[in-house]
């Protein structure tokens, strides 16, 4: 054995010196008798002490000491001296204890070591950035945890793993009601390991409280965007910490947080001079004091304001009208305590001179008087949306349109007091109106009344009348005379219109229709499509005929022959057969078709396989859902061959 101990490794068998540097370490050998010794090297982190029995002789193995017996303080000192990100990630993978310890070490607590320069962290980081698909344009990583994946352990892993790869810039957490959920511990790990965090979104995290968000505020001073939604345990204390330590905050969203009140919002207004966007929804403790203080403090920087389901009154609207000097986008939704006076005072405050987009939903204070005041007090208003305003009538709508001289886009939804008079009155007085949409307005009736029709509305390019059951052929006849430059037409859900009313309409559009949506117009036939293809086939790019069950193969032939620019075609639930698909396939070289939907076309069978394969050479999307005559084997064959095309089946 002495020769074995003294072997120097000078030959090819062992070129690196003696087998064991300390030949006197007798514990490395087990005696099997008087003539034989066996070399027994130590095993890494062995935690088992088991006896060996040879020839009836019991030999005890020495118990190996594990590094886990070290207290957290010692492991902390070891981990903070790790040379690079690879080593930290490797150690974090050993156990939850090590992961937890590493994730609780702040970045500035790690020791700098000149001996690790050979790792070339810059080059390694660049390599990782190139390989990671979630790298943001600014070089920081983006991570998202949703449902059961949202746990403290995963957050700790993110904190350790992203530290050496440019840092975490954006984090989205959507929690669940599972037993393992995100708590303050997980946010603490992010706060200590990700000081570069700029965007944080917290959704449905009932176990996260002030402590976790305070840790984020203390550790992530670069935070710019914060979303707190359905976090019932977060209070004003957390917002005070954010206001104090995150002066770069530009975007704040608070939704369904029952313990956040005025004090937190007031602090944000005082301490965040760069705040540009605020959205608050369903926070019962928030009132006029918080909203007014915030708006007054950010008068010259705040550009976007959204207030929904809050217990605010006319006072808040008055403050908006006076201090909203920089506001360009304003949304007021479900504010039951705001009256007509609030809208009138807001509009006469002379502060909304820069307002361009305004949306009002379910506010009882919107009356004819209040709306006319809005038109006069917002001279640069271009986009206006009114939803569920039950007290608004024709006279108020027309007065608003006359006062809002810069208005380009108007949408009315579920405003049931608006009738045919108000609708055509908009077209008469909206000099710059480019887009008009009416949705679910039950007050529209197809009455044959004498209307004074002045010069056509030459600027209107887009018209959408959806699910207004009273709009029929008589209204279409008037419409065609007022909108000669129309390019986008959406009449979906109008079951009252027929060929007799629609065909004359097509002759009045001088510019050529580009997008046409006739879904749900069940009384239209092939005559409409043939005329549409002949008169506007040279310009049309999108055509939706979903649910028009009287449309047949004749329409497909006309489309194939005339609509070379058509890129999106929907003939779901129409009377299309294999012949119609074949007609499209024959003209495939001339067509620009990229999206095709034949969902629910029960007359299309496996015979269309060849035609669909030919069409699929250019298609990006194909919808074959509920085509019961097409077999599963045919669909599987199409999926295999048309690998570029997204097929729904």
């Amino acid at each position: 054995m002495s020769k074995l101990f003294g072997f120097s490794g000078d030959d090819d068998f062992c070129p690196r010196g003696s087998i064991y540097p300390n030949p006197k370490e007798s514990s490395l050998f087990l005696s099997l008798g008087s003539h034989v010794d066996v070399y027994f090297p130590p095993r890494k982190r062995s935690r088992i002490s088991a006896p060996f029995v040879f020839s009836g002789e019991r030999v005890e193995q020495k118990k190996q000491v594990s590094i886990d017996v070290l207290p957290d303080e010692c492991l902390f000192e070891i981990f903070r001296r790790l040379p690079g990100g690879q080593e930290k990630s490797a150690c974090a993978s050993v156990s939850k204890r090590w992961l937890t310890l590493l994730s609780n070490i702040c970045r500035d607590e790690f020791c700098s070591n000149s001996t690790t320069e050979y790792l070339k962290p810059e080059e390694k980081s660049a390599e990782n950035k190139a390989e990671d698909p979630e790298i943001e344009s600014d070089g920081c990583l983006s991570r998202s945890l949703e449902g059961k994946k949202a746990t403290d352990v995963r957050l700790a892993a993110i904190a350790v793993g992203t530290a050496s790869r440019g840092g975490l810039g954006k984090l989205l957490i959507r929690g669940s009601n599972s037993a393992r959920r995100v708590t303050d511990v997980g946010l603490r790990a992010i706060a200590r390991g990700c000081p570069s965090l700029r965007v944080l979104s917290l959704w449905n995290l009932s176990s996260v409280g002030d402590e976790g968000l305070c840790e984020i505020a203390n550790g992530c001073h670069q935070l710019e965007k914060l979303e707190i939604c359905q976090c019932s345990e977060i209070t004003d204390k957390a917002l005070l910490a954010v206001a104090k330590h995150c002066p770069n905050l530009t975007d704040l969203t608070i939704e369904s947080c029952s313990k956040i009140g005025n004090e937190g919002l007031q602090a944000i207004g005082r301490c965040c001079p760069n705040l540009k966007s605020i959205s608050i929804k369903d926070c019962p403790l928030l009132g006029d004091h918080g909203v007014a203080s915030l708006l007054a403090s950010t008068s010259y920087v705040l550009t976007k304001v959204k207030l929904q389901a809050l217990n605010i009154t006319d006072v808040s609207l008055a403050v908006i009208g006076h201090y909203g000097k920089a506001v360009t986008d304003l949304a007021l939704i479900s504010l039951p305590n705001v009256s007509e006076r609030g809208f009138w005072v807001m509009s006469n405050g002379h502060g909304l001179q820069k307002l361009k987009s305004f949306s009002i939903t379910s506010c009882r204070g919107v009356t004819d008087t209040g709306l006319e005041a809005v038109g006069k007090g917002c001279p640069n208003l271009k986009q206006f949306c009114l939803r569920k305003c039950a007290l608004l009538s024709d006279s108020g709508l027309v007065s608003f349109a006359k006062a809002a001289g810069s208005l380009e886009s108007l949408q009315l939804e579920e405003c049931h007091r608006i009738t045919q008079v108000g609708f055509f009155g908009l077209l008469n007085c909206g000099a710059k109106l480019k887009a008009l949409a009416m949705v679910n307005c039950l007050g529209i009736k197809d009455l044959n009344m004498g209307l004074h029709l002045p010069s056509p509305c030459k600027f209107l390019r887009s018209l959408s009348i959806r699910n207004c059951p009273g709009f029929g052929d008589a209204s279409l006849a008037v419409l065609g005379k007022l909108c000669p430059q129309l390019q986008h037409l959406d009449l979906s859900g109008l079951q009252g219109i027929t060929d007799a009313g629609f065909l004359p309409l097509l002759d009045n559009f001088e510019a050529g229709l580009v997008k046409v949506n006739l879904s749900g117009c069940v009384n239209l036939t092939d005559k409409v499509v043939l005329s549409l293809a002949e008169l506007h086939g040279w310009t049309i790019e999108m055509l939706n005929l979903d649910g028009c069950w009287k449309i047949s193969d004749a329409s497909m032939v006309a489309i194939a022959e005339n609509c070379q620019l058509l890129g999106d075609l929907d003939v779901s639930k129409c009377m299309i057969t294999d012949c119609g698909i074949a007609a499209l396939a024959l003209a495939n070289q001339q067509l620009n078709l990229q999206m095709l939907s034949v969902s629910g076309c029960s007359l299309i069978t496996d015979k269309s396989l060849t035609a669909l394969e030919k069409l699929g050479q250019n298609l990006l999307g194909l919808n074959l859902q509920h085509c019961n005559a097409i077999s599963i084997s045919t669909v599987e064959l199409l999926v295999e061959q048309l690998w570029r095309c997204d097929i729904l089946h």
Side-chain angles (χ1 to χ4, degrees), residues 420 423-424 427 446-449 451 453 465 471-483 491 497-506 508-509:
Q420 188 188 45
F423 171 73
F424 288 109
L427 299 179
D446 203 15
L447 303 176
N448 291 316
M449 58 174 61
L451 292 175
L453 300 180
I465 306 171
F471 199 96
D473 290 342
S475 299
L476 284 182
V478 180
L479 187 63
K481 300 175 182 179
L482 291 177
C483 311
L491 301 178
I497 62 175
T498 65
D499 293 353
F502 195 83
L503 289 174
L505 182 70
L506 294 175
N508 295 300
F509 299 138

Side-chain angles (χ1 to χ4, degrees), residues 241-460:
V242 171
K244 181 178 180 181
H245 299 290
C246 303
N248 295 328
L249 192 68
T250 61
D251 194 321
L252 177 62
T253 298
I254 307 173
E255 180 178 330
S256 300
C257 295
S258 57
K259 295 184 179 181
I260 291 181
N262 295 323
E263 185 180 0
L265 211 59
Q266 290 171 343
I268 292 291
R270 289 194 307 267
C271 303
C272 299
N274 298 315
L275 191 67
K276 295 181 180 178
S277 176
I278 182 71
S279 176
I280 311 172
K281 176 183 177 182
D282 192 21
C283 296
L285 297 183
L286 272 172
D288 290 326
H289 291 293
V291 173
S293 176
L294 175 70
L295 292 168
S297 301
T298 57
S299 178
Y300 293 98
V301 293
L302 194 63
T303 58
K304 294 183 179 181
V305 178
K306 180 180 179 181
L307 305 176
Q308 181 174 357
L310 300 176
N311 295 323
I312 60 175
T313 67
D314 297 339
V315 174
S316 293
L317 264 64
V319 174
I320 293 175
H322 184 75
Y323 289 100
K325 301 183 184 302
V327 174
T328 58
D329 296 83
L330 177 61
L332 304 176
I333 306 169
S334 300
L335 303 178
N337 298 325
V338 172
S339 67
E340 176 186 82
R341 181 181 180 183
F343 283 96
W344 188 89
V345 173
M346 179 185 69
S347 303
N348 286 277
H350 306 293
L352 297 177
Q353 301 297 306
K354 294 184 178 181
L355 187 64
K356 294 182 179 180
S357 177
F358 194 6
S359 176
I360 305 175
T361 303
S362 299
C363 292
R364 293 182 299 177
V366 178
T367 62
D368 294 345
T369 302
L371 193 61
E372 183 180 2
V374 169
K376 294 178 179 179
C378 306
N380 293 303
L381 187 64
K382 296 184 181 298
Q383 299 177 356
F384 192 42
C385 179
L386 285 170
R387 297 186 181 94
K388 300 180 179 180
C389 296
L391 301 180
L392 180 64
S393 68
D394 292 334
S395 60
L397 185 61
V398 173
S399 298
F400 164 77
K402 291 180 179 179
S406 300
L407 190 66
E408 297 180 356
S409 175
L410 176 62
Q411 179 177 344
L412 302 174
E413 185 172 344
E414 296 188 40
C415 298
H416 301 310
R417 292 188 63 188
I418 303 300
T419 68
Q420 188 188 45
V421 175
F423 171 73
F424 288 109
L426 284 173
L427 299 179
N428 291 345
C429 57
K432 295 184 179 180
L433 197 63
K434 296 180 180 179
L436 174 61
M438 298 194 69
V439 184
N440 295 322
C441 293
L442 304 183
I444 299 291
K445 302 296 182 182
D446 203 15
L447 303 176
N448 291 316
M449 58 174 61
L451 292 175
H452 175 64
L453 300 180
S455 58
C457 186
K458 296 182 179 180
F459 290 96
L460 193 68

Side-chain angles (χ1 to χ4, degrees), residues 520-533:
C521 298
V522 295
N523 290 314
L524 297 182
T525 69
D526 288 327
K527 293 181 180 180
V528 168
V529 180
L530 266 61
S531 179
L532 182 65

